[in-house]
Amino acid sequence: MNFRKDHWQKIYQTRDHNKVGWYQETPQISLQLLTEINARPSESIIDVGCGASALVDHLIDQGYTDITLLDLSDEALSATKLRLGKKGHLPEFICGDITKITFKHTFDIWHDRAVFHFLTKAKDRNAYMANLGKSLSISGRAIIGTFSLDGPGTCSGLEVVRYDEEKLRHELPSELELLNSVTSSHPTPGGAIQEYMYFIIRHKKAG
């Protein structure tokens, strides 16, 4: 039994995707950070824990063609594919657990808006980071978003781990380094404000 998978499957089966706390009509901060790292549409990108996020819509509009969408919930992936309509064949959809899955190739851009902070067990965080280390191309960059130290301690009924730069650095394997971080305030559909930190990571060999 995969508790995380069952949890998110139920969320996407029973709740309006446009009213969940993490919903963004436009993923502005993610698009901004992709610009800041000089991401190019010719590069391969994976959206880890994509849910039903609209980021993929913008990536397709910007000309990205090598897009992988990963989520625990096939319900979320199906909703995204349905929303994309005629463009639904463009991304590769993978239903899987980022702490367990093995990819066939590396990615130039790794985007994770809010998966890592749900990993409350050290073994899961270690597995995630090990996967990041081997799945990110040597010249690639990762964008990982988490709740900041001022963010909520729970989300969707689950505990989270909140981060600042010092805490995030302690989670990185030896081959990766933190380049930069930015804070961002996310207004939920319910009117609350959630404080995030986004971290930009790369291989030390790329320096």
Side-chain angles (χ1 to χ4, degrees):
M1 177 178 177
N2 188 323
F3 169 77
R4 288 198 298 269
K5 178 179 176 65
D6 292 344
H7 178 85
W8 294 112
Q9 188 77 337
K10 184 177 181 179
I11 290 291
Y12 283 103
Q13 286 173 340
T14 60
R15 295 177 62 181
D16 185 335
H17 302 170
N18 296 338
K19 294 181 180 179
V20 292
W22 54 91
Y23 174 72
Q24 296 172 305
E25 183 174 352
T26 301
Q28 198 60 50
I29 182 65
S30 295
L31 295 171
Q32 173 190 325
L33 292 175
L34 287 171
T35 298
E36 288 187 12
I37 65 172
N38 298 313
R40 301 183 303 277
S42 59
E43 294 181 302
S44 58
I45 181 169
I46 182 170
D47 191 9
V48 176
C50 60
S53 167
L55 177 62
V56 62
D57 306 61
H58 293 269
L59 295 176
I60 291 173
D61 287 345
Q62 291 179 11
Y64 284 82
T65 57
D66 192 346
I67 305 169
T68 300
L69 301 179
L70 174 74
D71 202 87
L72 279 169
S73 169
D74 53 21
E75 187 77 19
L77 296 174
S78 295
T80 299
K81 191 169 188 176
L82 181 64
R83 186 185 71 238
L84 290 175
K86 293 181 179 179
K87 300 176 182 177
H89 69 284
L90 294 174
E92 179 181 4
F93 294 85
I94 301 176
C95 186
D97 186 333
I98 192 58
T99 66
K100 296 179 172 66
I101 194 168
T102 298
F103 298 110
K104 296 177 181 178
H105 58 82
T106 59
F107 302 95
D108 300 313
I109 304 164
W110 174 292
H111 176 269
D112 164 13
R113 181 183 172 224
V115 170
F116 187 68
H117 68 195
F118 282 109
L119 303 181
T120 56
K121 296 180 180 179
K123 66 179 182 64
D124 290 331
R125 295 195 298 273
N126 291 339
Y128 177 107
M129 285 297 178
N131 212 348
L132 172 59
K134 67 183 180 183
S135 302
L136 186 68
S137 67
I138 293 300
S139 60
R141 286 84 70 219
I143 298 169
I144 297 178
T146 73
F147 284 142
S148 74
L149 297 185
D150 294 323
T154 62
C155 180
S156 185
L158 299 177
E159 291 186 1
V160 301
V161 181
R162 294 172 288 184
Y163 290 93
D164 59 7
E165 284 196 358
E166 181 179 1
K167 285 186 68 176
L168 195 281
R169 280 196 179 96
H170 287 158
E171 301 291 343
L172 293 179
S174 59
E175 71 269 24
L176 298 177
E177 64 180 349
L178 177 63
L179 282 181
N180 193 18
S181 68
V182 297
T183 57
S184 176
S185 297
H186 166 63
T188 71
I193 300 296
Q194 296 177 337
E195 298 296 330
Y196 277 79
M197 282 201 80
Y198 287 79
F199 304 93
I200 299 175
I201 296 162
R202 70 173 181 182
H203 280 281
K204 290 179 179 177
K205 291 181 180 179

